[in-house]
Amino acid sequence: MTHLVWGKQSLTDWQRVQLAQLEYHNWQLGEDVLLPDGQLIGEVVKVIWTTDGFRATVIRSAADSQIIVLFRGSSGVRKGDPTTWTNEWLRVNLPIGNAIINQVPDVPQELWTASKEFNHLLAAYPQMTFFLYGHSLGSINAQFALANCHYPDRIGGAYLYEGPNLYWLLDERQRQTTTLLRCQVFNYIDPLDVVALGYIDMEHTIGLLRVVDSMMTSPINQHMWGGYQFDKQQNLLLENNFWQNRRAQIDQQLINAVQKLNQNNDEWER
């Protein structure tokens, strides 16, 4: 039996994670998108796959005037093809990590493509409210698309998981846009996931930071929501004292150390 989704508040935290996981499915136009519990999300109206590697699935809600965009993440080491290493890791993931640590705005082309494609969708569905989901590379692309969004008032919500903190790569205009969207964006990270890099406090983020009270598992499983824990009402368990979290301290020390090394190198070269 299927059930329609009525409005953004009807999904639980667990259901939103299940929906985000569907970004890795190879969808076809016209397919119905259902959650594992039978909840009908809507129909696939567009599948985006560009030459630089950007991928997304566009869903028209079954019950409301809503468009849901699933930003696809990296295929990773478990599910990939010969282009995975080139298109996703070498071109995007590794440069993003380097840019965050070094605090330099070096943005791969795929992120600009994500922004362009998302703004095209906003223009194509002018009467619709948009909801975004993204994990890992999908979170990276969604964060940057939101920072360059032409119609921030049309964003109903964004649920992002296990992506590094793109805030450090944004210019002033982009940061102003994310400030407008702050209360519509929920940015979930597992502090035991090494991919979720660059979150040193609760303020310098895109959206509202939500730190998961996770259990430890294998590194790949950790990144793929494996450490997430839920209560009986399907609410995600969260950590309360992130600023005291050891992971945040390590990220800050790493950024400080690299900045100091770069400064010393500049002085030596002069």
Side-chain angles (χ1 to χ4, degrees), residues 48-56 71-75 81 83-84 86-89 91-93 109-111 113-114 117 137-138 141:
I48 303 171
W49 192 345
T50 64
T51 56
D52 57 12
F54 173 65
R55 299 181 68 175
F71 288 75
R72 183 161 177 153
S74 303
S75 298
D81 56 45
T83 67
T84 297
T86 301
N87 288 348
E88 298 178 4
W89 290 99
R91 290 185 185 175
V92 180
N93 295 11
Q109 178 58 41
E110 181 176 332
L111 276 66
T113 299
E117 293 290 341
L137 175 61
N141 283 326

Side-chain angles (χ1 to χ4, degrees), residues 2-5 32-35 37-43 61-63:
T2 60
H3 306 279
L4 293 178
V5 175
D32 285 339
V33 178
L34 288 86
L35 299 183
D37 61 3
Q39 187 87 299
L40 176 62
I41 299 299
E43 178 186 348
S61 172

Side-chain angles (χ1 to χ4, degrees), residues 8-9 11 13 16-17 19-20 23 67-71 118 129-135 138-139 141-147 149 152 154-161 178 181-188 206-210:
K8 66 178 180 178
Q9 298 301 327
L11 294 182
D13 290 340
R16 290 193 179 103
V17 169
L19 178 53
E23 71 193 57
I67 293 292
I68 299 161
V69 185
L70 306 182
F71 288 75
F118 182 61
T129 301
F130 278 69
F131 293 84
L132 290 71
Y133 288 78
H135 171 263
S139 171
N141 283 326
Q143 288 181 64
F144 201 68
L146 289 166
C149 177
R154 307 249 317 277
I155 306 301
Y159 302 90
L160 313 179
Y161 303 91
T178 61
L181 290 167
R182 184 170 179 80
C183 293
Q184 281 72 48
V185 181
F186 300 89
N187 199 336
Y188 295 90
I206 296 174
L208 300 172
L209 185 62
R210 296 290 184 261

Side-chain angles (χ1 to χ4, degrees), residues 10-19 133 159 161 188 228-231 233-238:
S10 64
L11 294 182
T12 65
D13 290 340
W14 181 84
Q15 288 174 317
R16 290 193 179 103
V17 169
Q18 298 304 307
L19 178 53
Y133 288 78
Y159 302 90
Y161 303 91
Y188 295 90
Y228 282 34
Q229 303 180 90
F230 301 86
D231 63 19
Q233 287 72 46
Q234 299 187 348
N235 297 308
L236 182 58
L237 302 185
L238 301 175

Side-chain angles (χ1 to χ4, degrees), residues 93-110:
N93 295 11
L94 297 182
I96 286 293
N98 177 71
I100 290 173
I101 292 173
N102 286 281
Q103 302 277 281
V104 293
D106 186 12
V107 179
Q109 178 58 41
E110 181 176 332

